[in-house]
Amino acid sequence: EALAEVGGQGIVVPAAWGMFTYRLPPMVSPRSQAGDFKAVSESLIYLDKIAGETGTKVYLEPLNRYQDHMINLLSDAQKYIDENELENVEIIADFYHMNIEEDSIPTALEEHKDSIGHIHVADNHRYQPGSGSLDFKTSFDQLKKNGYNGFLTFECRVRSENPEQAYKDALAHLKSCLI
C-alpha cells in the first residue's frame, strides 16, 4: 500500500535471503519442503491480493543455492505462481543467480517469458557486466525474441578504481550485446 502511495510499480521479494542453505551445516532444513511451500505460498497469496488492490506487482526473485534453499530456479518461482493462481506476481530473472542455477540462461528466459517482469544484471562473479564471463548477447537476443520490455536493473558490485567509468563501460558492454 505504501509502495502505491509513492508511485512505485512493484516490490522485489526473495523467498528468504540467507535463511538456510543445504550447502552449509547443519544441512537439514528447519522446515519440511511442504512447510516451506506453504509458508511462502501464504505470503505470496497475501501480497498478490494487496498488489491487485493497489495496481502494483510483486517480483519474486529466485536465489542461488548458497543463499537460500526454497526458490532457486525460474521454474521454482513459476510453480508458486501457477499452483497459487497468482495474478500480480512476476519473476525476476537475475543473471547472477541464474548463472549458478540454470542449465541455460537463454532457455530459462524463453521457457518463462510470460512470467518474467524484472531482470537483474550482474556478471558471473556479481561484478559489473562485461568484467566476467557471462554471454549477455545470447541472453539479450532471447529477451528481444521474447518481446521483453520490462525493467532491467544493475544489481552488482563494482570492481574498479573508477566506479563511474566502470558503470559506463558496463552499460556500453550491454548496449553492444543488443546489436
Side-chain angles (χ1 to χ4, degrees):
E1 292 164 344
L3 177 68
E5 283 183 36
V6 298
Q9 295 181 9
I11 186 169
V12 174
V13 294
W17 189 88
M19 181 186 138
F20 169 78
T21 174
Y22 288 115
R23 303 296 178 223
L24 296 171
M27 298 178 175
V28 176
S29 178
R31 283 190 300 243
S32 67
Q33 286 183 338
D36 287 342
F37 190 84
K38 181 178 184 283
V40 172
S41 292
E42 288 172 354
S43 293
L44 289 173
I45 290 166
Y46 173 77
L47 292 171
D48 184 65
K49 179 181 179 290
I50 300 298
E53 292 169 357
T54 59
T56 59
K57 293 288 182 184
V58 175
Y59 298 112
L60 181 58
E61 182 176 11
L63 302 176
N64 70 73
R65 70 190 92 161
Y66 304 107
Q67 293 181 332
D68 192 64
H69 70 290
M70 291 186 281
I71 303 175
N72 303 126
L73 301 166
L74 298 191
S75 61
D76 295 337
Q78 187 71 57
K79 180 179 176 182
Y80 282 93
I81 292 169
D82 293 344
E83 291 192 19
N84 293 303
E85 299 177 357
L86 304 172
E87 297 178 7
N88 303 292
V89 176
E90 296 178 350
I91 299 171
I92 291 179
D94 184 309
F95 280 47
Y96 169 72
H97 296 300
M98 293 173 71
N99 174 64
I100 296 169
E101 296 298 333
E102 300 289 351
D103 293 335
S104 165
I105 293 174
T107 299
L109 293 171
E110 197 281 323
E111 289 175 352
H112 302 286
K113 65 184 174 196
D114 295 331
S115 296
I116 295 171
H118 203 301
I119 304 284
H120 283 172
V121 292
D123 222 308
N124 65 295
H125 46 26
R126 183 58 110 191
Y127 287 99
Q128 71 269 20
S131 66
S133 62
L134 280 187
D135 176 5
F136 286 96
K137 174 136 180 60
T138 302
S139 295
F140 279 20
D141 286 348
Q142 184 62 55
L143 288 169
K144 283 192 293 188
K145 185 178 175 185
N146 294 350
Y148 180 77
N149 64 355
F151 296 100
L152 190 140
T153 304
F154 274 51
E155 189 188 41
C156 59
R157 297 176 294 186
V158 177
R159 183 183 287 168
S160 174
E161 295 292 321
N162 184 343
E164 182 179 347
Q165 187 59 49
Y167 276 117
K168 288 178 181 178
D169 293 346
L171 186 57
H173 175 73
L174 293 180
K175 284 181 177 179
S176 76
C177 295
L178 295 172
I179 298 171

